[in-house]
Amino acid sequence: AQSVTQLGSHVSVSEGALVLLRCNYSSSVPPYLFWYVQYPNQGLQLLLKYTTGATLVKGINGFEAEFKKSETSFHLTKPSAHMSDAAEYFCAVTQQGGADGLTFGKGTHLIIQP
Amino acid sequence: DAGVIQSPRHEVTEMGQEVTLRCKPISGHNSLFWYRQTMMRGLELLIYFNNNVPIDDSGMPEDRFSAKMPNASFSTLKIQPSEPRDSAVYFCASISLAYTGELFFGEGSRLTVL
């Protein structure tokens, strides 16, 4: 079985500050890991993914995440928050390349303070 | 290319009525997933199909829920009879198993059962 835990249902940062959204996973085999973003009244959009190879992955909109096997973590970061980053962020895991779907965390609502 | 297309975007119905949600996956994708999103439970996988065949429906909450995929370009999720606790956003997502795990989501169908 696989699972995802996102620490903090709400995270608030000031515009221009570092964004750090935490994700820990549980998987019995090497996982594929994803971060999705959801803007109000929209579907989920892929930010970035880790499958194999380089553990630091870069995504859209200046986000990046690092896969740390020893910590079973895949935290999402962005050096400087922008107002347009305000959204819901979901971490997800799959064990079979997506063939059995993704297991999502509960989500983290990112609030950007002006 | 068109993304995953869902209809209707919004549905308001009364308890006891039948609800049918529709999904057209991305052309060439051979797996399709139905998810339900609520505040309380987050994103839940209801059922998924590979090559039009239902593989796992263990996430379907009750017998009132059923899903079909008669061909590679169309799927339905039906609720009969509907209940207020079915109110949620229902997402359809598709994937090509030739690629590494990324699910492409539709915009969702927001269901309100009065």
Side-chain angles (χ1 to χ4, degrees):
Chain A
Q2 58 202 21
S3 65
V4 174
T5 301
Q6 291 183 239
L7 295 177
S9 59
H10 291 79
V11 170
S12 180
V13 301
S14 298
E15 189 174 19
L18 171 72
V19 174
L20 171 61
L21 304 183
R22 299 178 186 274
C23 171
N24 288 88
Y25 68 91
S26 172
S27 175
S28 57
V29 299
Y32 290 179
L33 295 159
F34 305 81
W35 276 99
Y36 280 82
V37 61
Q38 184 181 30
Y39 298 102
N41 300 314
Q42 294 188 23
L44 279 73
Q45 178 185 2
L46 182 70
L47 271 180
L48 49 79
K49 64 181 179 184
Y50 168 80
T51 55
T52 58
T55 57
L56 180 64
V57 292
K58 297 184 184 300
I60 62 172
N61 302 337
F63 284 93
E64 62 182 36
E66 186 170 12
F67 170 60
K68 292 186 176 180
K69 183 179 179 181
S70 61
E71 299 177 7
T72 61
S73 69
F74 191 57
H75 301 331
L76 181 71
T77 60
K78 181 174 180 178
S80 177
H82 191 273
M83 295 299 290
S84 61
D85 295 327
E88 192 83 14
Y89 291 81
F90 293 91
C91 183
V93 64
T94 182
Q95 294 179 314
Q96 297 187 42
D100 58 345
L102 301 183
T103 299
F104 286 88
K106 294 289 189 184
T108 298
H109 185 62
L110 178 62
I111 301 162
I112 310 297
Q113 304 281 3
Chain B
D1 286 341
V4 175
I5 299 172
Q6 292 187 245
S7 64
R9 289 295 312 277
H10 301 275
E11 174 95 4
V12 180
T13 190
E14 294 191 347
M15 183 174 62
Q17 296 298 305
E18 178 180 295
V19 173
T20 299
L21 308 178
R22 298 172 177 80
C23 175
K24 176 179 170 56
I26 293 173
S27 178
H29 284 191
N30 46 9
S31 288
L32 182 141
F33 302 80
W34 283 100
Y35 283 86
R36 179 172 69 175
Q37 184 178 35
T38 61
M39 289 292 292
M40 291 298 295
R41 302 173 69 91
L43 279 158
E44 304 172 277
L45 178 61
L46 300 179
I47 185 172
Y48 72 94
F49 299 81
N50 285 344
N51 296 316
N52 313 336
V53 176
I55 302 300
D56 185 353
D57 65 354
S58 61
M60 297 284 261
E62 301 173 33
D63 291 344
R64 299 183 295 105
F65 286 70
S66 62
K68 294 182 179 180
M69 192 165 186
N71 57 62
S73 59
F74 184 66
S75 177
T76 60
L77 178 66
K78 185 175 294 186
I79 308 172
Q80 167 63 19
S82 58
E83 296 183 4
R85 59 191 166 129
D86 302 331
S87 297
V89 182
Y90 292 82
F91 286 102
C92 176
S94 69
I95 185 177
S96 170
L97 294 179
Y99 298 99
T100 49
E102 178 185 351
L103 287 188
F104 290 82
F105 282 80
E107 296 280 285
S109 294
R110 181 175 296 276
L111 173 64
T112 302
V113 183
L114 302 175

